[in-house]
Amino acid sequence: MFSRTVPPMSRASFERIVPVVSLVVLALIIGQSVVQSVSAWLSGAEAKHIVPVFEAPIASAGKALGAALTSWMPAWSIPTPFGPLDVKHTASYTIYEWFKLPIILFLTTYGMTLLRLSISTRWIERSIGRNDLLGASGGALLGMFTPVCSCTVTNIYAGIVAGGASQRASSAFLFASPALNEFAILFMFVIVGPFGGLVYVLAGFAAALATAYLAPVLGLDPARFVQQVVSPHLCGTIARESILVRAHREAWALFKRLFGVVLFSGFLAGILVNFNLTLVESLKQAGAAWWGPLIATVLGLPLDINAASTAPILVALHQIVPIGTLVAAMMATTVSSIPEWAMLNRLIGKAGAIKVVCWYATYVALLGLLLNWLFA
């Protein structure tokens, strides 16, 4: 009789402890990011080091794990039509993505759900819960201060939708977060001055708002998928259940449904990282041709490259490639990627994912052509 009562007691204790541990981990990650940002500001570091990047501690741990688990592998390169594929680097990068993406998906969903359950729903309704211009602007601003790459933004996107963000606010965030990244903005200010930087920011913010209002046409409505996953898990909850447990239950339900596609997108990112230099060679060949932004868009959109890695390479190409072509290359590699398409396909369906990518391609190409015309 006693043995039958132990498992339920152990499970109940486990369900109470794990949400607390998750909250502590989330608080430590946010705290470390803020401390590093403040330290950089006090030490007079560059602006790009002052902006807090909440995924940085997770990314650093993932890179260390990937390097450690692949240290025994010999150097092995496989020739492909798109360039050499480094097997060891692919394995290391895939492990890095498999470590980073699931953690970001879960912690973002958990944090946003906890916020929704803890504070007045009226506060959310008045901010990113609004489905009007103010809500869309709030989502775009949230994206500007949450600079992440395309393979990461979809995980956060699912989290803020689960946390109560409206269709327009979440859509604006989905575009603004990778597009209006701090490295691209600083790149524009440094290379072409304040006017170029201002044009980039205004164009990106306007495109984020356009994405918000085009959301119904683009199919950007993951709320139905999120509700289908989360709602059944709330039917049997007890009213007296703690907020931490409820938030953890919702986050875990969504995490389990998206875990497989997250691993698949991480695997794709590991493969595509090998072909980053193919884009650089193509930009050199395009040179000052008017169609440079178009080729940069087509070749850059499938790739998964962080803007921090892209910016130094593009600066070196500034003397031979026009600024619009460089920005199109940076924007294309950052705002979208095949791993992001895999996640969007799961959240909003294949048709919606295709529409979103086509919209991104249109914006990036037009922005590149506009900048080349302005700074010819």
Side-chain angles (χ1 to χ4, degrees):
M1 192 73 178
F2 177 76
S3 61
R4 293 180 181 177
T5 60
V6 172
M9 291 294 292
S10 301
R11 181 175 180 179
S13 300
F14 179 79
E15 290 182 348
R16 287 194 299 267
I17 293 173
V18 172
V20 175
V21 173
S22 300
L23 180 62
V24 171
V25 172
L26 180 61
L28 288 175
I29 291 174
I30 295 176
Q32 181 179 353
S33 301
V34 172
V35 169
Q36 289 180 346
S37 177
V38 173
S39 299
W41 176 65
L42 293 176
S43 62
E46 298 180 7
K48 65 181 182 180
H49 298 298
I50 297 177
V51 178
V53 181
F54 298 112
E55 67 169 310
I58 304 173
S60 298
K63 289 178 181 178
L65 179 64
L69 294 180
T70 58
S71 59
W72 59 273
M73 296 179 63
W76 181 23
S77 181
I78 301 176
T80 73
F82 307 101
L85 189 149
D86 188 330
V87 176
K88 181 176 181 179
H89 182 57
T90 299
S92 177
Y93 197 86
T94 300
I95 293 171
Y96 154 70
E97 293 285 359
W98 282 355
F99 180 85
K100 180 187 72 172
L101 295 180
I103 293 177
I104 290 177
L105 170 63
F106 177 77
L107 290 182
T108 302
T109 307
Y110 179 55
M112 289 299 301
T113 306
L114 186 61
L115 182 66
R116 172 171 56 84
L117 296 175
S118 301
I119 65 176
S120 171
T121 56
R122 186 173 299 178
W123 182 88
I124 295 179
E125 292 171 355
R126 290 178 176 177
S127 55
I128 59 174
R130 299 178 59 140
N131 204 35
D132 55 11
L133 180 60
L134 290 177
S137 300
L141 289 173
L142 179 63
M144 288 182 65
F145 292 98
T146 314
V148 294
C149 61
S150 59
C151 65
T152 303
V153 70
T154 44
N155 297 276
I156 303 178
Y157 172 61
I160 66 172
V161 170
S166 69
Q167 183 185 38
R168 285 176 176 168
S170 58
S171 300
F173 171 86
L174 179 67
F175 183 90
S177 183
L180 293 174
N181 62 83
E182 76 279 20
F183 294 102
I185 294 174
L186 287 173
F187 174 75
M188 289 296 296
F189 272 93
V190 170
I191 299 300
V192 295
F195 179 71
L198 182 61
V199 169
Y200 181 88
V201 172
L202 292 179
F205 196 85
L209 296 182
T211 304
Y213 279 86
L214 289 173
V217 178
L218 298 175
L220 283 171
D221 187 18
R224 183 180 304 175
F225 172 82
V226 173
Q227 290 170 359
Q228 288 176 350
V229 174
V230 173
S231 298
H233 292 264
L234 299 179
C235 296
T237 57
I238 303 174
R240 292 174 297 176
E241 189 176 53
S242 72
I243 292 177
L244 286 178
V245 174
R246 286 181 59 192
H248 190 272
R249 193 187 302 275
E250 289 191 30
W252 184 247
L254 183 63
F255 175 81
K256 288 191 294 184
R257 287 293 296 270
L258 294 176
F259 183 69
V261 71
V262 166
L263 293 184
F264 180 64
S265 66
F267 173 69
L268 292 176
I271 294 177
L272 291 170
V273 74
N274 291 275
F275 310 125
N276 294 348
L277 293 179
T278 304
L279 173 64
V280 176
E281 293 301 321
S282 299
L283 292 180
K284 290 181 179 179
Q285 294 178 8
W290 71 268
W291 43 264
L294 302 182
I295 195 68
T297 301
V298 172
L299 294 179
L301 281 176
L303 301 178
D304 177 34
I305 312 176
N306 190 289
S309 303
T310 309
I313 300 175
L314 298 184
V315 169
L317 294 176
H318 176 55
Q319 300 300 325
I320 58 177
V321 179
I323 186 65
T325 304
L326 294 180
V327 170
M330 175 182 290
M331 182 74 72
T333 56
T334 308
V335 77
S336 181
S337 64
I338 288 181
E340 183 192 29
W341 302 350
M343 278 291 293
L344 285 177
N345 181 55
R346 179 61 170 155
L347 288 171
I348 62 176
K350 184 181 295 184
I354 293 174
K355 291 178 183 178
V356 171
V357 172
C358 289
W359 160 239
Y360 284 176
T362 301
Y363 165 75
V364 170
L366 289 179
L367 179 61
L369 292 171
L370 173 64
L371 292 175
N372 278 349
W373 176 72
L374 287 175
F375 299 100

